[in-house]
């Protein structure tokens, strides 16, 4: 097994790394800096770190105010509070005036684990994707997370960055990986079926691909790190070349990656597909691995769904 | 305070009130009462207090103003016009499709608007953000915000109040336009935020209570706020909703209603101002 790092860890380290080069970065947190890992930035640049206390709504609008002065502001908390509790501050104070605020949302999805459904954001992608002016990024591993933070810094405008709590395999080579905002990554080739995944599900899709190959099925794996704006071309190309698309996300299937891919396919190239994710369900307490089994989001589940989808392929 | 300065401000306020009435009548919708109650404070800020450059609205060292009670946008727009940020003709496009003057302030469309507001409670947080940035950058610009008294029912206001005191934002001065009315009636009947002064004191602010229609008192309070170090200042301005127009004063019904042509004429007659639309 390769090295495992949580994407939130990579986020905090990236902030601390790029904080030196970009002196106009200011980081805000809402009493979760040890969990969101923004404490890494705080340690190096205490004068540019502001703890807003347990006041997420206030934090988002404050971030907006700081951004009006020309700074690049990162505002961090758990995804449930960033996209949920503070939704309207994000919408009206950040996105509406298109201010340069990056929302570092950690602890997304069910792999939050034991804290349970109240703390597992499973609808944040859908919420943020609906907001005009908002870019939505969901990195797959530590390498991509670091690159995504850099891309967010270099992009002028609001960005929602979705990170996980759980340590996940590093799948990219940090020396060769190139991140392009709005462009998906063909992480592994294949022409029988395309598995389109986001976040930690990219790693699971790669595992599933290995298992499928043992059965003679060549699955392409596509990593959609930028969910908005979505890379239409890579999806249409996959539809043309494989004829069957399986989406996998740690999120409800409505309005998230699956919804976004379905929108592209139905408009440009109707193709059979299956969306894997949560079907009108909240998460619950449990060990992350047990929850992934319970909600059918393991590599084995991906294998099963891929084979079932292939049966439907014309 | 020099008498001619006060007279100048009072005359400006009269003209601004006339433009508020005329722009709202032209739009045929909007918030009349709370724009009129805030007019004197806005005139005092833009014509005497704030260090701004209308020909350079984004000047980095300018003082900032955030209209947290964004529905009083007509008052802000009228003041910005008189200050020379944009041409007066825009006032007659208020709230129309394609206008630079939105129903609530939009910093992307309107020169001189420092923050987009309208959703209550958020402007004061944004003002804190500007003040925090000023502290980080060791700049000496000051930040002003105007809150409604009904707006104090928003929980975010008190999150922000905690933030400003905790971070000792003495470069921030907030006004409360204490006109006692909100859409559904008296604030004390709907859900009382009183005692407003004691609440801000308890949150660690320097609190000043003034008559919000007296230019001398407004300017003196701002000077006291500037001289106060280590804590933010809130100026609780006792005001009259609909101030200056007899039939609009103290009427909750004038919160979100614009005057018709006849009411406009009567209002202008009371103000003694002629407006060429």
């Amino acid at each position: 097994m390769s090295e495992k790092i949580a994407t939130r860890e990579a986020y905090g380290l990236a902030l601390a790394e790029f904080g030196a080069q970009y002196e106009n970065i200011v980081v805000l947190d809402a009493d979760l800096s040890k969990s969101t890992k923004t404490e890494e930035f705080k340690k190096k640049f205490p004068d540019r770190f502001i703890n807003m206390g347990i006041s997420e709504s206030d934090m988002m609008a404050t971030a907006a105010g700081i951004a009006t002065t020309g700074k690049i502001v990162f505002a961090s908390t758990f995804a449930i509070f960033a996209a949920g509790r503070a939704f309207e501050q994000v919408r009206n104070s950040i996105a509406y005036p298109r201010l340069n605020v990056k929302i570092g949302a950690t602890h997304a999805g069910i792999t939050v684990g034991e804290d349970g459904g109240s703390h597992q954001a499973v609808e944040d992608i859908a919420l943020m994707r609906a907001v005009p002016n908002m870019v939505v990024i969901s990195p797959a591993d530590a390498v991509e997370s670091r690159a995504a933070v850099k891309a967010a810094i270099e992009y002028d405008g609001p960005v929602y960055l979705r990170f996980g709590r759980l340590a996940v395999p590093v799948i990219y080579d940090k020396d060769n990986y190139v991140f392009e905002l709005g462009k998906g990554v063909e992480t592994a080739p294949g022409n029988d079926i395309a598995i389109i995944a986001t976040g930690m599900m990219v790693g699971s899709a790669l595992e599933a691909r290995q298992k499928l190959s043992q059965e003679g099925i060549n699955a392409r794996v596509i990593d959609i790190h930028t969910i908005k704006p979505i890379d239409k071309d890579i999806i249409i190309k996959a539809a043309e070349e494989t004829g069957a698309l399986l989406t996998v996300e740690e999120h409800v299937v409505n309005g998230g990656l699956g919804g976004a891919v379905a929108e592209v396919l139905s408009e440009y190239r109707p193709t059979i597909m299956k969306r894997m994710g949560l079907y009108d369900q909240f998460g619950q307490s449990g060990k992350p691995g047990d929850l992934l089994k319970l909600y059918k989001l393991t590599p084995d589940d991906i294998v099963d769904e891929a084979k079932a989808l292939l049966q439907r392929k014309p | 305070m020099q008498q001619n300065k006060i007279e100048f401000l009072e005359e400006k306020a009269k003209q601004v009130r006339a433009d508020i009435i005329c722009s709202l009548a032209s739009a045929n919708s909007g918030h009349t009462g709370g724009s009129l109650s805030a007019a004197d404070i806005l005139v005092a800020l833009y014509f005497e207090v704030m260090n701004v450059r209308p020909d350079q609205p984004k000047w980095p060292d300018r003082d900032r103003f955030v209209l947290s009670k964004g529905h009083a946008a007509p008052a802000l727009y009228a003041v910005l016009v008189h200050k020379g940020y944009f041409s007066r003709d825009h006032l007659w496009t208020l709230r129309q499709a394609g206008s630079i003057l939105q129903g609530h302030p939009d910093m992307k469309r309107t020169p001189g608007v420092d923050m987009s507001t309208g959703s209550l409670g958020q402007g004061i947080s944004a003002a804190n953000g500007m003040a925090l940035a000023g502290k980080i950058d060791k700049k000496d610009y000051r930040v002003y915000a105007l809150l409604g008294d009904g707006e104090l029912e928003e929980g975010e206001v008190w999150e922000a109040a905690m933030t400003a005191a905790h971070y000792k934002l003495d470069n921030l001065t907030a006004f409360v336009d204490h006109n006692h009315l909100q859409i559904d009636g008296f604030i004390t009947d709907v859900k009382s935020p009183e005692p407003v002064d004691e609440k801000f004191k308890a949150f660690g602010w320097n609190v000043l209570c003034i008559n919000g229609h007296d230019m001398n008192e407004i300017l003196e309070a701002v000077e006291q706020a500037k001289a106060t170090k280590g804590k933010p200042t809130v100026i609780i301005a006792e005001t009259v909703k609909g101030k200056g127009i007899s039939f609009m004063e103290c009427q909750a019904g004038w919160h979100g209603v614009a005057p018709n042509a006849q009411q406009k004429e009567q209002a202008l007659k009371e103000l003694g101002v002629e407006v060429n639309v």
Side-chain angles (χ1 to χ4, degrees), chain B residues 30-47:
Chain B
H31 298 84
T32 307
S35 295
L36 292 169
S37 64
D40 298 305
I41 295 163
L42 282 167
V43 167
L45 284 175
Y46 276 90
F47 284 91

Side-chain angles (χ1 to χ4, degrees), chain A residues 122-193:
Chain A
V122 294
E123 62 283 81
D124 56 317
I125 294 175
L127 286 165
M128 289 295 109
R129 200 166 77 82
V131 177
N133 287 344
M134 184 64 74
V135 167
V136 180
I137 303 179
S138 162
D141 75 345
V143 170
E144 194 166 85
S145 295
R146 175 185 175 276
V149 170
K150 188 158 196 290
I153 290 168
E154 287 166 357
Y155 171 82
D156 182 20
V159 179
Y160 180 81
L161 292 147
R162 187 183 209 240
F163 302 108
R165 169 178 181 257
L166 191 67
V168 294
V170 177
I171 58 180
Y172 293 114
D173 172 10
K174 75 176 189 310
D175 297 325
N176 297 315
Y177 178 75
V178 180
F179 183 97
E180 207 181 328
L181 197 70
K183 291 284 171 210
V185 180
E186 188 179 308
T187 305
N191 280 330
D192 294 331
I193 185 172

Side-chain angles (χ1 to χ4, degrees), chain B residues 130-206:
Chain B
M130 295 172 187
L132 282 162
K135 294 277 183 193
I136 291 171
D137 290 340
K138 298 188 169 55
K139 291 201 170 195
D140 58 7
Y141 65 74
R142 297 188 61 81
V143 183
Y144 296 90
L146 177 64
L147 295 144
D149 52 2
E151 182 178 7
L152 304 180
E153 293 160 14
E154 286 282 4
E156 183 178 348
V157 169
W158 302 103
E159 294 183 4
M162 234 184 286
T163 300
H166 182 82
Y167 287 103
K168 301 183 169 57
L169 300 181
D170 50 16
N171 51 351
L172 172 81
T173 303
F175 284 84
V176 173
D177 181 5
H178 200 0
N179 63 31
H180 301 275
L181 287 166
Q182 58 191 114
I183 299 179
D184 276 354
F186 287 101
I187 59 168
T188 45
D189 289 336
V190 176
K191 192 172 91 169
S192 179
E194 300 290 356
V196 173
D197 53 348
E198 292 299 325
K199 282 196 172 71
F200 275 102
K201 271 180 207 157
F203 274 76
W205 287 55
N206 177 42

Side-chain angles (χ1 to χ4, degrees), chain B residues 9 38 60 64 74 80 85 115 124 131 133 165 170 179 193 197 206 212 214 267 272:
Chain B
L9 293 175
R64 271 99 172 145
L80 292 176
Y85 280 91
M115 181 66 202
I124 184 65
D170 50 16
N179 63 31
D197 53 348
N206 177 42
D214 183 314

Side-chain angles (χ1 to χ4, degrees), chain A residues 56-64 75 77 79 81-99 101-103 127-128 131-135 158-160, chain B residues 115 119 122 156:
Chain A
E56 296 81 9
S57 309
D58 182 39
M59 173 173 74
M60 292 303 176
T62 303
T77 181
F81 309 128
R85 175 186 288 255
F87 174 82
E88 207 247 341
Q89 281 76 12
V90 170
R91 193 263 190 200
N92 269 326
S93 285
I94 296 174
Y96 180 56
R98 203 174 182 281
L99 289 168
V101 177
K102 321 301 171 185
I103 299 156
L127 286 165
M128 289 295 109
V131 177
N133 287 344
M134 184 64 74
V135 167
V159 179
Y160 180 81
Chain B
M115 181 66 202
S119 178
Q122 299 185 27
E156 183 178 348

